[in-house]
Amino acid sequence: MTSPLLASPNTNPHYQDLYNVLKNVIDDSRLIRDPLRTLAYGTDASFYRLIPQLVVRVNDEEEVRLVLKEAKSRKLPVTFRAAGTSLSGQAVTNSILIQLSDQWKGHTIHQHGHVISLQPGIIGARANQLLAPFQRKIGPDPASINACMIGGIAANNASGMCCGTAQNSYNTVKSARILLADGTLLDTTDETSKKRFSETHGDLLDTLTLLGEKTRGNTELADKIRHKYRLKNTTGYSLNSLVDYQDPFDILLHLMIGSEGTLGFISEITYETVVDHPIKAATMIFFEDMEATCHAVTALKSAPVSAVELIDRAGLRAVEGKPGMPDMLSSLGENAAGLLIDVRASDEDELASHLELVSSSLDGLKTLNPIEFTQEKAVYDSYWKIRKGLFPAVGAVRPVGTTVIIEDVAFPVEQLAEGVLELQGVFHKHGYDEVILFGHALEGNLHFVFTQGFDAPAEVVRYEKLMDEVAHLVAVKYKGSLKAEHGTGRNMAPYVSLEWGEQAYEIMWDIKRAFDPDFLLNPDVILTHNANLHVQNLKPLPKANDKVDTCIECGFCESSCPSKSLTLTPRQRIVIWREIQRLVAAGDQPERLALLKKDYDYQGVDTCAGCGLCSMQCPVGINTGDLTRELRHDRIPDSKVGYWIGDHFEGVTKTARLGLASASVMKNIVGDSGMNLLTGAANKVTGGVVPKWRSTMPKTSIPLKTLLENDNDCAVAQTDQGSVVYLPSCATRVMGSSPNSKDQRSVMEVMLSVFRKSGYKVIIPKGVESTCCGLAFQSKGQFAVAEKKANDLNALLLEASENGKYPIVCDTSPCVLRMKETLDAKLNLYEQVSFISEFALPHLKITKKTARIAVHVTCSTTRMGLADSFVALANQLADDVVFPPDITCCGFAGDKGFSTPELNASALKTLSKAVEGCEAGYSNSRTCEIGLSEHSGLDYQSIVYLVDELSHSL
């Protein structure tokens, strides 16, 4: 039942014709037709796969209008895509995929944060960051809020843990800019736009008016609609708009919410925001069985709680032993279940009152543990992190080759206990004994997660029988919702008529015909005549590599990836590598396989920064960089050249310093443009050995030996705070300051100055000139050499620190991360930020800087859990600090900024605008600072320069 993947472009000539028209307006780099990227960009988080014929990355409304009009004239279907985190197949197509470029991040805050206008490419969590100073947030709070975009949140009417129904997009939307199937733009807040629309689309407005009157006049149907939206419900179109509103523009606006791109495109949405209570507390309580747990939910319905999340025994078992989880989980009985209860308030007194009411609501109910709320951030966050990670956690332990399926139903809350018990029985009947149930219990909304193989026809039949029985149980027997908050998609489209009945179902078709008479917008999503749609075009998930086989393609990783706008994201790298391995195993489509392999070299391997930030967002901790490094190793195994460089590292670094000095002289003769030509040619001839020139290329650093000889007392402390081992990284031993830097000292000189001021005696390890942490070798897949260098450094530092007696400070953050992962645990390793914050600042007097500065938190700093420390340090040093919100990893990636500078440029393309008005920039990695300087217009240096500039000894 799994559909074959397309091996060649569709023979329909209209696609080529459309491409020829679009390329006159949209640059070719945003018109994507090659097999690798159409597969990569066409994949979403669902278990369906369709490969688009053409992916168009649109920059603005005019481009969307153009694509819609031209596609309509050729009768070509169109599907819209934002982040692709949807779970039910809403964002896949085998026709034209309109994908948002990164130009859709505009926003306007109104009325002191009570209203916000957002373009569809803004990530949900970013919207809340913008509103945080006003103690407001958007109403929807889906578990994927750190990855999903506003366009998808609105199009799916996503809700979430604390949102309920009152604060979803339907109930908080104020206005929108909407593009219809024919390219017409409607701004629902602009009277001129509405008047013009009435003249050109009066028939659509008349249809909506008539449907509203007809529905409101049918008491039985109107009551049914009101009942179904008392629950969470995203099955079908938002029919509640027909009973809630009479103005056709209001009906149209609210029909767009939850329409999953089948009625039009929302190019901007304006929300009424909600209060973000600053004081929060949570608890986890456990009950002996599901029935008792559900009775507790009913008791809490009128209590002042923000969220009540139910987790069944299988779900609790999946998180046993996780940080922050109660030790008692392992001792719970087989039928136990738990509730995560969240309470929020505006101040401590209000919180105390709320907590008392919540506890009293549960009086008389037997719990297996005391009701103890925590405000401790680490524990509170761990509760929610684990709750949000239940879905991916199941996927991580699934058998290779199977997919993970999540559905979300809603029962009337007063029948929750009965419904849950019957639902569990249905799963066991069909052999799904590993199913996990959890969800937003106050709304009667439950998610069920299970693994499913689709390779065998019998498994597809088993799945189909399960869904048939679930649909009848929920929609018919309990009159609940088959899709509470994930949208209808492809998976539930065949069941919409079962849930709603023929009368309501025909109204939905009337709505579709009125908006999209040619049925070109996301066909078969929400409404379909194909009863087998939900078991067609199923996504294969073959074994690819044990480092990434647990990936469920959820897309949570994508927002943090520096190559997301240039080539592929971590999810997409895994998608393509899986397809390559599938084709290898199948032994067919050799031409397609060869093309994918060829293109993957650049798209997948060469442009991966290997920064590992994806692992921070991934619910199961996959670091796609590990796969990339393995592939680099397979391409060029550990070589004699690598060993030779490792064995002659001091000489190599001297040669590198000489090269920088020579380049500096040459630059003075031929200028930056001349250096770009010369090094570009040399880079190509040498296969990347000679780096490409950067305008911010540093001068050579003063040799460490010379530094110590010229300044014999540079390491002598002014007071005695003890000793510290200082390990200058190879980068700072080679690279000095930028020619344009106001402070021309090397990082090493500044580090020694800070050590001296703060009272620490400095120990420089003997033989440090020949050392390296091995990171440069590891990133190129030279694993054996990397391990050897790490072992050598380990011995050196054990000796210098007297087996860990003294703290060890390295001046380059990525090196410290590498050392923490590979060196002896007894070594107390610190990078600049952590050492300064913990050891230096208490002994320094700081005069804060008043000028605005920019700070880049490196990916290695984030991965070490030091991002908050870096932010705190920067705020201790300056009154006005800018942390560019859209910049994660800078993409310089060691020396990749020299060999693949387009990665660095893409990752930092928003930097210059973000740091406007800043005097200088600071970070904690010398190579990162080269790229940051070039793409910001500022001079970026190590944060130690700022510490040294502003500090005096106490």
Side-chain angles (χ1 to χ4, degrees):
M1 301 295 288
T2 301
S3 64
L5 298 179
L6 302 179
S8 60
N10 192 294
T11 56
N12 186 337
H14 290 312
Y15 287 106
Q16 180 65 46
D17 185 42
L18 175 66
Y19 170 81
N20 292 337
V21 171
L22 294 181
K23 72 178 183 179
N24 293 323
V25 179
I26 300 174
D27 57 278
D28 195 60
S29 65
R30 294 188 286 117
L31 299 173
I32 296 151
R33 300 190 295 170
D34 60 275
L36 185 146
R37 289 184 297 164
T38 51
L39 171 57
Y41 300 162
T43 299
D44 72 356
S46 73
F47 52 95
Y48 298 101
R49 170 153 298 160
L50 291 167
I51 303 178
Q53 296 301 313
L54 176 65
V55 179
V56 186
R57 279 187 163 174
V58 291
N59 280 343
D60 52 40
E61 287 178 344
E62 285 305 311
E63 291 185 353
V64 178
R65 294 179 71 177
L66 173 67
V67 178
L68 288 173
K69 290 174 69 174
E70 296 297 337
K72 181 178 175 65
S73 70
R74 293 165 178 80
K75 297 291 188 288
L76 297 176
V78 170
T79 294
F80 305 107
R81 160 71 66 83
T85 57
S86 54
L87 295 162
S88 300
Q90 296 95 317
V92 295
T93 180
N94 58 2
S95 184
I96 300 163
L97 184 71
I98 296 181
Q99 186 183 47
L100 297 180
S101 73
D102 53 9
Q103 301 298 306
W104 295 86
K105 297 181 179 178
H107 66 273
T108 305
I109 296 175
H110 316 274
Q111 300 176 29
H112 304 289
H114 283 70
V115 177
I116 188 168
S117 298
L118 299 162
Q119 287 191 317
I122 291 181
I123 290 174
R126 174 61 182 150
N128 286 339
Q129 288 177 351
L130 294 168
L131 291 166
F134 306 96
Q135 290 193 359
R136 309 286 294 184
K137 63 178 181 176
I138 60 171
D141 65 332
S144 59
I145 197 166
N146 291 322
C148 64
M149 294 178 180
I150 292 298
I153 288 174
N156 290 294
N157 197 20
S159 46
M161 271 72 70
C162 301
C163 172
T165 54
Q167 297 180 351
N168 62 16
S169 291
Y170 179 91
N171 284 309
T172 58
V173 62
K174 185 177 176 66
S175 65
R177 290 173 65 87
I178 300 163
L179 284 159
L180 298 186
D182 60 0
T184 299
L185 174 66
L186 168 65
D187 184 343
T188 66
T189 195
D190 185 330
E191 292 302 322
T192 301
S193 177
K194 290 166 68 174
K195 180 179 178 182
R196 185 167 56 245
F197 190 83
S198 297
E199 294 168 353
T200 60
H201 289 72
D203 54 345
L204 171 58
L205 297 175
D206 289 344
T207 298
L208 297 181
T209 299
L210 183 62
L211 287 174
E213 292 173 350
K214 178 181 175 182
T215 303
R216 292 190 298 274
N218 185 331
T219 303
E220 183 180 354
L221 178 59
D223 288 345
K224 180 177 184 177
I225 290 171
R226 292 187 183 97
H227 162 75
K228 292 193 72 62
Y229 288 102
R230 180 173 63 89
L231 311 175
K232 276 189 177 182
N233 192 339
T234 60
T235 309
Y237 289 123
S238 300
L239 293 186
N240 45 341
S241 62
L242 300 176
V243 297
D244 291 343
Y245 300 97
Q246 297 185 29
D247 186 306
F249 285 105
D250 287 333
I251 295 173
L252 187 154
L253 171 64
H254 289 85
L255 278 172
M256 289 299 301
I257 302 300
S259 62
E260 300 175 32
T262 65
L263 302 181
F265 173 78
I266 301 173
S267 62
E268 182 183 83
I269 186 168
T270 299
Y271 281 117
E272 299 273 5
T273 64
V274 301
V275 175
D276 184 15
H277 291 294
I279 310 298
K280 303 173 183 179
T283 186
M284 288 197 73
I285 56 177
F286 306 102
F287 300 85
E288 61 184 12
D289 56 33
M290 182 63 74
E291 186 174 6
T293 309
C294 292
H295 289 323
V297 173
T298 304
L300 289 166
K301 186 65 178 174
S302 59
V305 291
S306 295
V308 177
E309 294 292 303
L310 182 149
I311 307 175
D312 76 349
R313 185 65 185 96
L316 294 174
R317 192 176 293 111
V319 299
E320 283 179 15
K322 299 284 186 182
M325 286 293 96
D327 294 335
M328 67 174 295
L329 287 186
S330 59
S331 63
L332 292 176
E334 283 301 306
N335 298 317
L339 295 179
L340 165 56
I341 303 174
D342 189 291
V343 179
R344 302 180 181 184
S346 56
D347 56 47
E348 292 290 349
D349 289 342
E350 185 180 41
L351 179 69
S353 174
H354 286 351
L355 294 181
E356 185 177 349
L357 289 171
V358 170
S359 296
S360 64
S361 298
L362 297 172
D363 283 347
L365 295 177
K366 181 183 177 183
T367 64
L368 300 181
N369 64 315
I371 302 174
E372 297 175 343
F373 281 87
T374 181
Q375 289 182 255
E376 186 180 338
K377 188 176 186 302
V379 179
Y380 178 92
D381 289 346
S382 72
Y383 287 165
W384 278 111
K385 183 177 181 180
I386 285 172
R387 160 58 189 87
K388 292 178 180 181
L390 279 172
F391 164 47
V394 175
V397 297
R398 75 188 190 282
V400 175
T402 65
T403 189
V404 60
I405 293 177
I406 180 170
E407 283 301 342
D408 66 311
V409 300
F411 293 101
V413 70
E414 59 273 11
Q415 296 175 291
L416 181 61
E418 301 96 310
V420 169
L421 292 173
E422 282 201 58
L423 187 61
Q424 287 178 321
V426 170
F427 279 110
H428 293 313
K429 172 183 173 181
H430 291 281
Y432 293 90
D433 296 323
E434 83 288 4
V435 67
I436 285 180
L437 286 173
F438 59 91
H440 320 315
L442 283 181
E443 309 300 327
N445 175 198
L446 287 179
H447 304 307
F448 51 86
V449 182
F450 57 95
T451 60
Q452 175 69 57
F454 287 122
D455 290 340
E459 278 296 288
V460 178
V461 171
R462 182 169 76 112
Y463 170 73
E464 192 169 11
K465 287 182 176 179
L466 170 75
M467 295 309 296
D468 285 347
E469 193 160 347
V470 168
H472 280 85
L473 173 70
V474 176
V476 179
K477 181 172 182 178
Y478 284 97
K479 295 181 171 53
S481 311
L482 288 173
K483 297 294 290 187
E485 59 180 359
H486 292 169
T488 308
R490 296 174 175 274
N491 196 32
M492 210 55 72
Y495 297 103
V496 175
S497 61
L498 175 72
E499 175 171 335
W500 278 101
E502 286 303 316
Q503 195 173 34
Y505 191 55
E506 277 307 311
I507 290 175
M508 291 184 189
W509 277 109
D510 289 340
I511 291 168
K512 175 66 172 174
R513 279 187 286 268
F515 278 86
D516 180 23
D518 296 316
F519 303 104
L520 296 177
L521 296 184
N522 217 1
D524 274 334
V525 169
I526 294 185
L527 302 180
T528 184
H529 294 300
N530 182 354
N532 296 314
L533 183 76
H534 59 311
V535 289
Q536 295 174 347
N537 300 303
L538 302 170
K539 179 193 292 184
L541 290 173
K543 180 174 177 56
N545 184 287
D546 58 6
K547 292 179 172 58
V548 297
D549 282 335
T550 56
C551 173
I552 56 172
E553 301 180 8
C554 65
F556 286 13
C557 58
E558 294 192 332
S559 62
S560 65
C561 180
S563 63
K564 60 181 179 291
S565 298
L566 177 66
T567 52
L568 303 180
T569 64
R571 167 169 64 175
Q572 292 162 354
R573 287 184 168 89
I574 294 171
V575 165
I576 300 302
W577 191 245
R578 279 175 166 162
E579 174 64 354
I580 288 173
Q581 298 310 302
R582 188 189 73 84
L583 292 173
V584 168
D588 60 3
Q589 302 186 51
E591 292 183 5
R592 175 181 171 82
L593 175 61
L595 188 56
L596 289 179
K597 282 184 173 181
K598 177 179 176 294
D599 289 351
Y600 192 77
D601 279 347
Y602 178 76
Q603 297 280 342
V605 179
D606 293 343
T607 52
C608 175
C611 62
L613 283 182
C614 50
S615 67
M616 301 289 291
Q617 300 299 322
C618 175
V620 294
I622 295 172
N623 184 343
T624 312
D626 291 338
L627 171 64
T628 298
R629 284 182 281 272
E630 184 173 303
L631 296 179
R632 289 171 182 165
H633 177 270
D634 292 344
R635 183 196 288 177
I636 306 175
D638 291 292
S639 65
K640 291 182 179 180
V641 173
Y643 281 109
W644 186 91
I645 293 174
D647 291 339
H648 300 82
F649 204 74
E650 183 175 358
V652 170
T653 55
K654 286 181 180 178
T655 303
R657 281 200 302 270
L658 178 62
L660 275 179
S662 301
S664 181
V665 172
M666 183 65 70
K667 184 255 185 182
N668 291 333
I669 299 173
V670 302
D672 282 327
S673 59
M675 290 299 291
N676 285 333
L677 290 173
L678 290 173
T679 59
N683 179 270
K684 187 173 183 179
V685 170
T686 61
V689 174
V690 174
K692 294 180 181 179
W693 180 256
R694 308 298 296 254
S695 62
T696 52
M697 194 74 82
K699 300 188 303 181
T700 185
S701 178
I702 182 173
L704 180 60
K705 183 178 180 181
T706 304
L707 171 63
L708 297 177
E709 287 175 350
N710 292 347
D711 190 358
N712 290 325
D713 69 343
C714 68
V716 177
Q718 295 180 358
T719 60
D720 186 8
Q721 304 298 340
S723 296
V724 60
V725 177
Y726 173 40
L727 174 68
S729 72
C730 54
T732 53
R733 297 200 304 268
V734 171
M735 300 179 191
S737 62
S738 165
N740 301 320
S741 295
K742 186 166 60 176
D743 191 334
Q744 287 290 302
R745 294 177 298 165
S746 69
V747 173
M748 294 184 293
E749 293 172 273
V750 181
M751 286 290 294
L752 291 172
S753 176
V754 171
F755 285 136
R756 183 172 65 248
K757 286 182 182 179
S758 54
Y760 286 92
K761 297 177 182 178
V762 179
I763 301 168
I764 305 291
K766 294 178 181 178
V768 69
E769 292 88 349
S770 64
T771 61
C772 167
C773 68
L775 179 60
F777 297 97
Q778 181 204 32
S779 66
K780 293 178 175 58
Q782 300 284 297
F783 299 139
V785 185
E787 184 178 5
K788 182 178 185 303
K789 296 306 295 180
N791 290 337
D792 292 345
L793 179 60
N794 192 64
L796 192 79
L797 293 179
L798 283 171
E799 179 181 356
S801 68
E802 297 184 17
N803 286 315
K805 178 179 178 182
Y806 305 120
I808 300 165
V809 183
C810 179
D811 50 30
T812 301
S813 177
C815 298
V816 179
L817 175 60
R818 160 77 179 170
M819 289 190 287
K820 283 179 174 287
E821 292 174 339
T822 57
L823 303 191
D824 196 312
K826 69 178 65 162
L827 296 173
N828 296 307
L829 299 164
Y830 297 87
E831 53 81 72
Q832 304 161 342
V833 169
S834 56
F835 181 83
I836 290 169
S837 299
E838 186 173 342
F839 293 96
L841 278 189
H843 308 293
L844 296 173
K845 180 182 179 181
I846 300 294
T847 302
K848 290 186 77 171
K849 197 175 188 70
T850 55
R852 173 177 290 186
I853 64 169
V855 169
H856 173 70
V857 180
T858 58
C859 47
S860 49
T861 301
T862 300
R863 289 182 60 197
M864 286 187 286
L866 296 173
D868 289 344
S869 297
F870 203 161
V871 171
L873 174 61
N875 287 324
Q876 285 180 274
L877 299 174
D879 290 322
D880 192 355
V881 186
V882 173
F883 301 93
D886 294 326
I887 307 297
T888 53
C889 171
C890 71
F892 207 94
D895 62 354
K896 191 162 283 295
F898 299 123
S899 62
T900 316
E902 64 270 27
L903 174 60
N904 183 226
S906 179
L908 297 181
K909 62 184 171 184
T910 63
L911 180 61
S912 61
K913 184 175 181 180
V915 299
E916 286 178 352
C918 291
E919 179 183 89
Y922 299 93
S923 191
N924 58 349
S925 171
R926 187 66 194 93
T927 52
C928 296
E929 290 150 16
I930 297 170
L932 290 163
S933 297
E934 179 173 346
H935 294 291
S936 67
L938 300 177
D939 180 38
Y940 271 80
Q941 290 185 300
S942 168
I943 192 73
V944 296
Y945 284 84
L946 186 60
V947 174
D948 194 47
E949 174 192 342
L950 303 176
S951 65
H952 300 280
S953 298
L954 288 177

